[in-house]
């Protein structure tokens, strides 16, 4: 099977206890081979490091409740891993103030925009300007705004709803 001679002989010796079971025949690796495999693994890890993602989090709630706190925790954790985050929220919201305090970039949607037409247009511009790859909506209105703003764009959409009830119409709430 292409194994060195000393390994082919060692496997059949009674009382032979293998160390690291990285061989298909159960034989132990020598120290030199262990170092070589570790170097190969490190090289592979360097080449296949995960890409940096550009993510926009959309939440239209005005208060700072559990969902907004989870959004901040998620954005902070992803930023710590090296991903670019943008928080998209209504102007004057508690989320805008808190995200600003935590040093997260914030884009605001106009507060007095009844049909969110201007907000949808502004979000679409932000998606194009910042080359957003993932658009994560954290509430129901944010899902609608995100979907309309990203129609026809090469962006992945994620929807998270934190509700205490089961949606009654499965067709409307399916992803």
């Amino acid at each position: 099977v292409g194994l060195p001679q000393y390994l082919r002989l060692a496997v059949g010796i009674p009382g032979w206890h293998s160390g690291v079971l990285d061989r298909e025949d159960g034989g132990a690796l020598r120290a030199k081979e262990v170092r070589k495999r570790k170097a190969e693994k490190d090289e592979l890890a360097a080449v296949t490091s995960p890409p940096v993602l550009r993510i926009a989090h959309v939440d239209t709630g005005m208060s700072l409740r559990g969902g907004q706190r989870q959004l901040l925790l998620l954005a902070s954790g992803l930023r710590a891993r090296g991903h670019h985050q943008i928080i998209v929220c209504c102007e004057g919201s508690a989320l805008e103030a808190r995200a600003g305090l935590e040093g997260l970039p914030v884009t605001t949607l106009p507060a007095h925009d009844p049909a969110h037409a201007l907000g949808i247009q502004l979000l679409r511009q932000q998606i194009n300007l910042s080359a957003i790859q993932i658009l994560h909506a954290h509430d129901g209105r944010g899902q609608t705004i995100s979907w309309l703003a990203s129609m026809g764009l090469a962006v992945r959409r994620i929807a998270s709803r934190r509700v205490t009830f089961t949606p009654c119409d499965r067709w409307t709430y399916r992803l």
Side-chain angles (χ1 to χ4, degrees), residues 47-55 78 81-84 133-134:
V47 172
T48 59
S49 61
V52 174
L53 298 173
R54 303 185 69 75
I55 305 167
L78 290 171
R81 291 181 177 212
H83 300 292
H84 299 285
Q133 299 167 309
I134 297 175

Side-chain angles (χ1 to χ4, degrees), residues 9-128:
L9 294 174
V11 173
I13 299 174
W16 174 265
H17 299 288
S18 60
V20 182
L21 299 177
D22 282 348
R23 297 241 178 246
E24 40 185 66
D25 61 0
L29 292 174
R30 302 286 184 197
K32 184 177 180 181
E33 292 173 309
V34 170
R35 285 192 297 272
K36 181 181 175 188
R37 289 221 178 159
K38 183 178 180 337
E40 289 171 358
K41 186 188 272 186
D42 291 346
E43 287 175 17
L44 183 63
V47 172
T48 59
S49 61
V52 174
L53 298 173
R54 303 185 69 75
I55 305 167
H57 298 277
V58 181
D59 190 288
T60 58
M62 293 302 289
S63 60
L64 191 66
R65 300 181 64 159
Q68 289 81 9
R69 291 181 197 281
Q70 286 182 358
L71 184 155
L72 290 169
L73 286 171
L74 175 64
S76 297
L78 290 171
R79 179 179 60 179
R81 291 181 177 212
H83 300 292
H84 299 285
Q85 309 292 308
I86 296 174
I87 308 294
V88 181
C89 56
C90 293
E91 65 182 353
S93 68
L95 179 59
E96 176 188 11
R98 184 68 176 269
L101 286 175
E102 293 190 19
L104 293 164
V106 178
T107 297
T108 57
L109 302 173
H112 303 290
D113 185 15
H116 296 288
L118 182 58
I120 292 166
Q121 185 179 12
L122 290 172
L123 179 56
R124 187 175 182 89
Q125 289 174 354
Q126 185 67 43
I127 292 168
N128 287 325

Side-chain angles (χ1 to χ4, degrees), residues 53-58 127 131-137 146-147 150-159:
L53 298 173
R54 303 185 69 75
I55 305 167
H57 298 277
V58 181
I127 292 168
I132 297 296
Q133 299 167 309
I134 297 175
L135 190 57
H136 189 170
S146 298
W147 186 77
S150 63
M151 278 180 29
L153 299 178
V155 63
R156 298 282 184 177
R157 295 183 204 101
I158 299 174

